[in-house]
Amino acid sequence: MSPSYDVIVLGLGGMGSAAAHHLSARGARVLGLEKFGPVHSHGSSHGGSRITRQSYFEDPAYVPLLLRAYELYEELEQATGREIATLCGGVMVGRPDSRTVAGSLLSAERWNLPHDLLDAAEIRRRFPTLSPKDDEVALYEARAGLVRPENTVAAHLQLATRRGADLHYEEPVTRWEPYRDGVRVHTPENTYTASQLVICPGAWAPRLLDDLGVPFTIERQIMYWFQPHGGTARFDPAHHPIYIWEDATGSQVYGFPAIDGPALGAKVAFFRKGTACTPETIDRTVHDHEVAAMADRMSRHIPALPGRFLKAATCMYSNTPDEHFVIARHPAHPDNVTVACGFSGHGFKFVPVVGEILADLALTGTTAHPIELFDPRRLAAAPAV
């Protein structure tokens, strides 16, 4: 049996890489175990960009975590020299009573976040690429923007390695169990022991956390890249914001500026509207009818955008029934196991602060960050959706 570690981190995607960094920065002896290679595209932490925003329509309780995440993203950029965050501004568009607009406004007002409310005419004036209906409005947030998922994961892995973390790739965990006053983790290559285990399983949560009592559902999602009519000049970050756009049915789409030049165009996607899958059964092929549905929807909001389809990629949402996260000590193993999962399609912007929280919980058993909303016991009797 290999030497014991202070903490084993299971999964080195967004949350796990951040946990490995924060734990090793505090002097813990860390082993990180990853099923795939570093910065892989088999889970959820890929695709070139993720939206970040502070006027959070999901719940005002997330805002303090976002404020800290912004600080940590800046620190990460300074420590590694990697491009992480681009705050190009963002609009949350829909009818005034839509969740996207009303929920964003609630968070902005509760936390005194700078914002502007724009009517349809003002949206068109400020952002000529956007074509709202006359009854649609937007909350504009100057500090919204995007983060780079691959760069973020790579930066956290870089810093964890610099601090002495032992990171193993292509080494999947087959099972884990309590062992003496700690935990034991099995892989095809070895068995490891540690005082603490941090589990960041992504879409593999239903298998690795089957005793958590949370009815996770895994959902296939698609990201699309289109070359706009007339090229990408009008869609660069200086002119075109990130956006989440809710229509009258409650369906949301989201998108980005053209951040990687003409070759990759601009990225768009549906927010949810996925299909149930598992990591083993996910259909990685993007079909013509799916591309057509995305192009049709975007043509209503941004007529110049779906000029030419360039590419698409799949990823997975790991959903909880209420779409809030799970971040806590494991209720059945509260002394030695910490979990972070069920990020439900809106978790990546929190990556650095979740890493900080996981280090707190693993090393001290508690955290000063407000995470009461994310207790898994709220979902123990909830049906899967």
Side-chain angles (χ1 to χ4, degrees):
M1 186 178 294
S2 64
S4 179
Y5 294 87
D6 294 326
V7 187
I8 295 173
V9 178
L10 193 166
L12 293 174
M15 307 304 174
S17 64
H21 158 54
H22 283 281
L23 286 161
S24 59
R26 300 185 195 186
R29 293 171 298 155
V30 176
L31 169 65
L33 296 171
E34 170 55 53
K35 178 181 178 70
F36 301 104
V39 199
H40 63 82
S41 60
H42 301 287
S44 303
S45 300
H46 63 282
S49 57
R50 291 287 186 273
I51 284 177
T52 189
R53 51 195 165 90
Q54 294 180 350
S55 300
Y56 215 61
F57 63 75
E58 286 84 350
D59 196 299
Y62 286 88
V63 174
L65 300 180
L66 289 161
L67 298 176
R68 178 57 177 158
Y70 272 51
E71 295 174 346
L72 291 171
Y73 274 124
E74 185 174 346
E75 292 178 12
L76 193 62
E77 286 184 324
Q78 294 172 350
T80 64
R82 296 177 184 268
E83 179 189 353
I84 303 294
T86 300
L87 302 183
C88 57
V91 287
M92 308 300 117
V93 188
R95 292 180 173 178
D97 61 350
S98 65
R99 183 190 185 201
T100 302
V101 175
S104 298
L105 181 60
L106 176 64
S107 284
E109 291 180 338
R110 183 165 299 180
W111 292 99
N112 197 30
L113 301 174
H115 66 281
D116 296 320
L117 281 177
L118 313 180
D119 63 17
E122 183 66 7
I123 297 170
R124 299 184 196 109
R125 188 189 69 80
R126 288 203 196 185
F127 306 109
T129 51
L130 308 184
S131 183
K133 295 181 179 179
D134 289 341
D135 64 347
E136 291 180 320
V137 300
L139 181 140
Y140 172 72
E141 180 186 336
R143 287 185 58 75
L146 60 99
V147 294
R148 298 277 197 168
E150 290 90 346
N151 286 3
T152 301
V153 174
H156 281 133
L157 295 176
Q158 174 186 337
L159 294 179
T161 301
R162 185 186 299 174
R163 293 284 188 170
D166 191 6
L167 307 182
H168 293 196
Y169 303 104
E170 308 290 346
E171 188 170 350
V173 170
T174 55
R175 63 188 175 92
W176 62 271
E177 63 203 3
Y179 178 71
R180 296 179 180 172
D181 57 349
V183 293
R184 183 163 56 187
V185 176
H186 303 269
T187 77
E189 285 74 26
N190 213 331
T191 298
Y192 306 95
T193 61
S195 300
Q196 296 289 325
L197 176 63
V198 174
I199 304 178
C200 304
W204 288 262
R207 181 175 69 83
L208 291 168
L209 290 172
D210 59 353
D211 64 342
L212 190 60
V214 176
F216 298 104
T217 56
I218 309 306
E219 198 173 81
R220 171 183 176 266
Q221 295 289 335
I222 307 171
M223 302 170 283
Y224 304 83
W225 286 260
F226 289 92
Q227 177 65 256
H229 292 292
T232 57
R234 292 186 299 151
F235 287 81
D236 70 26
H239 301 96
H240 184 73
I242 64 93
Y243 54 89
I244 299 176
W245 204 313
E246 181 176 338
D247 70 9
T249 71
S251 172
Q252 294 165 302
V253 292
Y254 66 93
F256 301 83
I259 56 174
D260 292 310
L264 281 183
K267 175 183 163 186
V268 298
F270 286 104
F271 189 36
R272 312 199 186 283
K273 198 181 177 181
T275 55
C277 69
T278 70
E280 294 75 28
T281 63
I282 182 173
D283 181 3
R284 295 289 185 180
T285 300
V286 178
H287 303 279
D288 289 346
H289 69 89
E290 293 173 317
V291 175
M294 186 80 257
D296 176 69
R297 176 63 180 273
M298 294 313 303
S299 69
R300 304 177 217 166
H301 302 315
I302 307 176
L305 181 55
R308 180 165 60 91
F309 171 65
L310 297 174
K311 71 169 188 173
T314 57
C315 69
M316 289 179 282
Y317 286 4
S318 305
N319 297 321
T320 63
D322 61 7
E323 298 174 359
H324 294 309
F325 308 157
V326 171
I327 308 173
R329 285 285 202 165
H330 195 307
H333 312 282
D335 295 329
N336 306 102
V337 181
T338 302
V339 298
C341 49
F343 288 96
S344 301
H346 63 111
F348 195 89
K349 60 184 73 64
F350 297 89
V351 156
V353 70
V354 171
E356 188 171 68
I357 292 166
L358 294 176
D360 290 344
L361 293 175
L363 297 180
T364 72
T366 188
T367 182
H369 288 295
I371 62 168
E372 295 80 8
L373 180 62
F374 311 134
D375 190 325
R377 290 171 294 186
R378 76 187 192 276
L379 299 169
V385 295

